[in-house]
Amino acid sequence: MKVSIIGQGYVGLTISVFAAEHHEVIGLDKNQRVIDALSQGKSHIEGVDSSDLAKYISAGKYKATTDASEIAGSDVVVIAVPTPLTKDRKPDLTFVVAACKTIGENLKTPALIINESTSFPGTVRNLIKPEIEKYSGGLVGHMYAVSPERVDPGRTDWNQKNTPRLYAGLTSEASTAVRDFYSSFCDNLVEVSSPEVAESAKLFENTFRQVNIALVNEFAQIAHALGISVYETLDAAATKPYGFMKFMPSAGVGGHCIPVDPSYLADTAARVGVPATFIERANEVNLEMAKYVVGRVVADNGGSLKGKSVQVVGVSYKPNVADVRETPAEIVIEELRKTGARVTWSDDLVSSWMGESSTPLGGSDIAIVVTLHSVTDPAAVLKSAPYVFDTTGKVIGAYSL
Ligand SMILES: NC(=O)c1ccc[n+]([C@@H]2O[C@H](COP(=O)([O-])OP(=O)(O)OC[C@H]3O[C@@H](n4cnc5c(N)ncnc54)[C@H](O)[C@@H]3O)[C@@H](O)[C@H]2O)c1
């Protein structure tokens, strides 16, 4: 089949290489720099090997392009564009609407259109279908479906092949078509009764994580006030063989999913008149964690950081990826600068960020570990400053949550 994937980021590129094993894939992205690198077989996404890309390019199974007319004649089109929040934390579907315009204007033969971008229930039925039809200049007879993405960048044990994938079509014909497509590279497909269930399940999965992370972050503060170790307490609770799932405290949440998706659910809740109090409070607790961490460091250092040099270690939002979207390190740095501290950062995977460069580990009065990559030696981090505060629980001997 000819498969076009709109958006060649974390989700779209990952799907592209799995699909290219079985289909002819067009990877469309509006970012020329991304397309230039991909066309040379250079992957910018953890978990996607450049050697795989190069192999599929030379076999004629994968082509990266900014030219939207290349999607003409596709059998399947997958939408994998960002779904961020607006400044006032409302769903921002401008990228999805732009992708619909691209599809409507360039795809004039019937195809299966699948949305993998995370969005609120009703997006495929009430937004994607009408938008594409608006730009098609008449009904082309496309089938529409949703299959929310569950990729966890950098993870190797669960991948596209073995992670169960939810799906639902707007019609039974679309459900069958979407199953046929994914079964070429995914072992475990789970059909649900409507696109709205699939869309809601994705939002609930990430809201579940967000709320539980907030709970453990709040508990870390309680444990510290009690003078007990949050980590030992969590290990103790985790000996219960049922009814408990361990979440780890941190400086906050980051990435494109956990800080964002719950707000899509909260927005939907508001539209149907249900208060989403858990979601809103969880957001607040996670955002306040950076301030709490800085407060602890200030308290341990004589009540002021004015003039002190502080190095933040690890600025990506999670270990072993270079992704800095919505990273809690940004709020930690902001809070530190408010105290009058001189702040630098060091990250073995991120070389530049927010117009600044990563600095070599060490040389500051204080180090605060936000993210610890596998390639970063915890012993070296412990020795990097006279005072080290660790939010990851991995730097043994440091001050910790
Ligand atoms: N990153 C994850 O771990 C993850 C996991 C599950 C779901 N998701 C969801 O998948 C979707 C995509 O996320 P991502 O992390 O891949 O984003 P990303 O930012 O890594 O990639 C998106 C790509 O889409 C391109 N793009 C934007 N608008 C376009 C358009 N109109 N036409 C062509 N290209 C366009 C951008 O240039 C970018 O390269 C989001 O809805 C996200 O919530 C992400």
Side-chain angles (χ1 to χ4, degrees):
M1 289 197 286
K2 177 173 176 180
V3 178
S4 292
I5 301 187
I6 311 206
Q8 291 292 284
Y10 283 87
V11 166
L13 187 63
T14 307
I15 286 288
S16 295
V17 290
F18 275 86
E21 183 73 34
H22 308 274
H23 308 285
E24 218 177 276
V25 175
I26 298 292
L28 180 72
D29 203 289
K30 61 179 192 176
N31 185 328
Q32 189 66 52
R33 263 191 316 134
V34 165
I35 292 303
D36 288 346
L38 292 176
S39 300
Q40 291 165 29
K42 286 188 198 140
S43 165
H44 61 300
I45 299 295
E46 291 89 4
V48 175
D49 278 348
S50 295
S51 58
D52 282 341
L53 268 184
K55 180 178 82 185
Y56 294 129
I57 291 169
S58 57
K61 305 289 290 291
Y62 174 76
K63 182 177 180 190
T65 183
T66 53
D67 178 2
S69 69
E70 297 257 14
I71 73 167
S74 295
D75 302 292
V76 177
V77 176
V78 178
I79 300 172
V81 296
T83 45
L85 295 173
T86 58
K87 278 202 183 81
D88 54 351
R89 298 193 70 79
K90 299 275 176 237
D92 176 358
L93 292 186
T94 46
F95 296 101
V96 171
V97 169
C100 291
K101 183 169 187 280
T102 298
I103 297 169
E105 288 176 347
N106 293 283
L107 187 65
K108 303 294 183 189
T109 51
L112 168 68
I113 317 282
I114 306 168
N115 183 36
E116 286 211 23
S117 291
T118 306
S119 186
F120 47 75
T123 300
V124 165
R125 194 185 301 275
N126 303 324
L127 183 111
I128 290 180
K129 181 173 184 281
E131 281 294 315
I132 292 177
E133 286 172 354
K134 182 169 99 190
Y135 290 107
S136 302
L139 297 183
V140 176
H142 296 315
M143 293 179 282
Y144 293 89
V146 62
S147 184
E149 183 50 58
R150 285 172 161 168
V151 66
D152 185 6
R155 187 164 198 138
T156 48
D157 51 350
W158 291 104
N159 54 39
Q160 286 294 336
K161 191 162 163 55
N162 64 0
T163 305
R165 178 178 273 281
L166 301 178
Y167 71 94
L170 271 187
T171 59
S172 59
E173 192 195 14
S175 293
T176 307
V178 76
R179 180 175 192 94
D180 288 349
F181 170 61
Y182 285 112
S183 60
S184 60
F185 58 91
C186 179
D187 292 340
N188 195 346
L189 293 161
V190 183
E191 182 173 2
V192 293
S193 63
S194 69
E196 286 75 13
V197 171
E199 289 162 331
S200 302
K202 171 71 192 175
L203 294 184
F204 187 70
E205 287 163 21
N206 283 345
T207 303
F208 173 83
R209 279 188 64 73
Q210 177 232 27
V211 169
N212 278 285
I213 292 168
L215 178 64
V216 79
N217 278 337
E218 188 169 81
F219 179 66
Q221 299 176 43
I222 298 169
H224 176 70
L226 287 172
I228 59 173
S229 159
V230 61
Y231 299 108
E232 188 188 355
T233 313
L234 292 176
D235 284 344
T239 60
K240 184 177 177 184
Y242 51 87
F244 181 79
M245 188 180 280
K246 190 169 163 187
F247 286 81
M248 298 302 279
S250 59
V253 292
H256 192 358
C257 294
I258 309 299
V260 175
D261 299 354
S263 296
Y264 273 66
L265 190 53
D267 183 74
T268 301
R271 274 194 280 123
V272 294
V274 179
T277 45
F278 265 120
I279 300 174
E280 271 144 24
R281 183 61 195 137
N283 252 341
E284 285 164 10
V285 171
N286 287 332
L287 285 169
E288 285 159 7
M289 261 330 259
K291 205 171 185 173
Y292 171 76
V293 167
V294 172
R296 288 275 305 275
V297 174
V298 170
D300 287 349
N301 285 275
S304 170
L305 299 182
K306 204 167 174 55
K308 294 212 164 77
S309 58
V310 182
Q311 185 172 54
V312 172
V313 179
V315 296
S316 66
Y317 82 91
K318 69 173 185 173
N320 308 327
V321 298
D323 192 347
V324 287
R325 291 178 298 180
E326 309 270 336
T327 174
E330 186 172 343
I331 318 178
V332 171
I333 291 174
E334 250 172 54
E335 290 296 326
L336 283 169
R337 288 193 169 138
K338 280 187 206 160
T339 68
R342 291 177 290 118
V343 189
T344 56
W345 56 270
S346 175
D347 191 305
D348 286 326
L349 301 184
V350 181
S351 54
S352 63
W353 169 58
M354 298 204 304
E356 295 172 18
S357 297
S358 175
T359 50
L361 186 66
S364 61
D365 302 319
I366 292 168
I368 301 178
V369 188
V370 170
T371 300
L372 191 73
H373 302 301
S374 307
V375 292
T376 309
D377 176 12
V381 173
L382 186 63
K383 278 195 243 143
S384 71
Y387 171 93
V388 179
F389 188 92
D390 174 37
T391 67
T392 71
K394 292 179 192 151
V395 183
I396 310 303
Y399 290 83
S400 64
L401 283 170

